[in-house]
Amino acid sequence: LTYQAKFLNNADNAENYLGTSQKTALNLGVYLVDLGYNSLYLKSQEGLKYLKSVKKLSDQLNILDDQTKSMLTRFESNLENRDSLLTIAREGYFTIDNYLHKNERKDASAYILVGSWIEGLYLGTSLVKENPNFATDEKYKPILWRIGGQKESLNNLISLLNKFDKNNHKDLIAKLEELKKIYESVKIEQGEADSEELLDIAEIQNSDELSEKVMMKTLKKVEISKENVEKIAEKVTEIRKMITEK
């Protein structure tokens, strides 16, 4: 699919998320995905803006000042190397996540995960809906399967948030429960997961390699209708607005 910057959260909005740690962490997740998206399409100058927003929010959360400075330096040194940009973006997420777990800040880690998951699903559904014939166009089938396959991930996210003080995010859980109801009509049959065959996006050199075979290795069958996708897109957009609006 072609690059669509219009669906990304403006990097300049980072200033709006410095109030509460929950808002900061959720939008850190959003920006990490947007950073990865820009890196995937070798939009390195745009990616640099998002990496600076990532640093601003991680600084607000008192996370890894030295490491995020190093990420910026490495990113600036590899602006023409797509694989390196993807690796840096991926490492950034896991470095932050590991730090939070080691320091018993699992609630912040959970919010970052939720923010990144919502942004990924928002981008996926928004890009698909750009084509009114997405439900019958075969090239969209792997993406629709991935959208449908998020049904189980959503259950895990809700369970994760329920482990923390619900008063801090009851509205978010309520919206995720609404999304869960929409997903009830999506049917999934799991394939045989082989760890050696799982997709590593950093190793993909061009879009032709994102074949149906590669994308569907962990899902044997997914039944998701056009109506399902549209309803998921609508609800995800609503949740995303909760997260990104000031």
Side-chain angles (χ1 to χ4, degrees):
L1 303 182
T2 58
Y3 176 79
Q4 298 277 6
K6 65 183 180 181
F7 293 123
L8 302 179
N9 189 23
N10 193 312
D12 294 334
N13 289 341
E15 295 289 340
N16 298 333
Y17 312 132
L18 303 179
T20 66
S21 58
Q22 182 195 67
K23 193 81 168 176
T24 303
L26 285 166
N27 282 284
L28 178 53
V30 168
Y31 279 137
L32 282 164
V33 169
D34 291 349
L35 168 63
Y37 181 73
N38 278 295
S39 300
L40 184 63
Y41 286 88
L42 199 56
K43 302 293 183 180
S44 50
Q45 291 298 335
E46 291 87 347
L48 189 56
K49 293 178 184 176
Y50 281 92
L51 183 51
K52 289 178 179 178
S53 295
V54 164
K55 175 160 176 51
K56 185 174 291 186
L57 297 186
S58 61
D59 285 349
Q60 179 71 11
L61 292 170
N62 296 313
I63 300 172
L64 298 168
D65 180 55
D66 289 340
Q67 284 90 332
T68 50
K69 282 180 182 176
S70 174
M71 282 174 61
L72 271 170
T73 301
R74 288 171 60 206
F75 203 91
E76 289 175 323
S77 301
N78 290 276
L79 294 180
E80 303 303 320
N81 189 325
R82 179 172 171 273
D83 286 349
S84 293
L85 297 182
L86 280 168
T87 298
I88 293 165
R90 182 180 55 185
E91 286 178 357
Y93 177 88
F94 288 109
T95 299
I96 289 170
D97 188 61
N98 287 336
Y99 173 85
L100 291 170
H101 275 80
K102 286 180 181 178
N103 287 274
E104 297 298 321
R105 296 173 62 188
K106 295 180 181 179
D107 55 342
S109 176
Y111 291 137
I112 293 171
L113 178 61
V114 171
S116 62
W117 187 85
I118 289 294
E119 184 72 351
L121 188 54
Y122 169 77
L123 285 176
T125 53
S126 297
L127 290 165
V128 161
K129 284 184 64 187
E130 285 285 277
N131 179 1
N133 300 315
F134 70 82
T136 55
D137 190 332
E138 278 297 306
K139 81 172 183 178
Y140 285 86
K141 186 177 179 181
I143 307 170
L144 297 180
W145 277 40
R146 283 301 179 199
I147 291 171
Q150 297 309 306
K151 179 178 182 178
E152 294 188 1
S153 299
L154 176 57
N155 293 333
N156 294 334
L157 282 182
I158 293 172
S159 296
L160 178 63
L161 287 176
N162 280 328
K163 294 179 180 179
F164 306 108
D165 186 354
K166 296 179 185 177
N167 290 324
N168 293 333
H169 46 250
K170 60 183 179 181
D171 292 341
L172 180 59
I173 288 182
K175 291 299 179 184
L176 290 173
E177 289 285 0
E178 291 172 10
L179 181 59
K180 181 179 177 180
K181 287 186 179 298
I182 296 171
Y183 261 107
E184 285 178 357
S185 55
V186 176
K187 297 180 181 178
I188 300 173
E189 185 177 343
Q190 292 290 344
E192 293 295 325
D194 184 338
S195 61
E196 294 183 359
E197 294 184 346
L198 295 182
L199 174 67
D200 183 350
I201 196 70
E203 295 180 359
I204 301 300
Q205 299 300 315
N206 59 68
S207 60
D208 293 336
E209 294 182 52
L210 291 171
S211 65
E212 185 170 303
K213 180 180 178 182
V214 172
M215 292 295 285
M216 296 182 184
K217 278 175 178 171
T218 57
L219 300 173
K220 190 173 181 181
K221 186 177 181 182
V222 176
E223 293 182 14
I224 182 168
S225 67
K226 182 177 183 180
E227 183 182 12
N228 286 152
V229 175
E230 289 171 343
K231 286 183 177 180
I232 289 168
E234 183 179 0
K235 184 58 63 176
V236 167
T237 299
E238 184 182 340
I239 299 170
R240 201 242 193 185
K241 284 181 179 178
M242 283 179 58
I243 293 171
T244 59
E245 287 188 350
K246 186 174 180 181

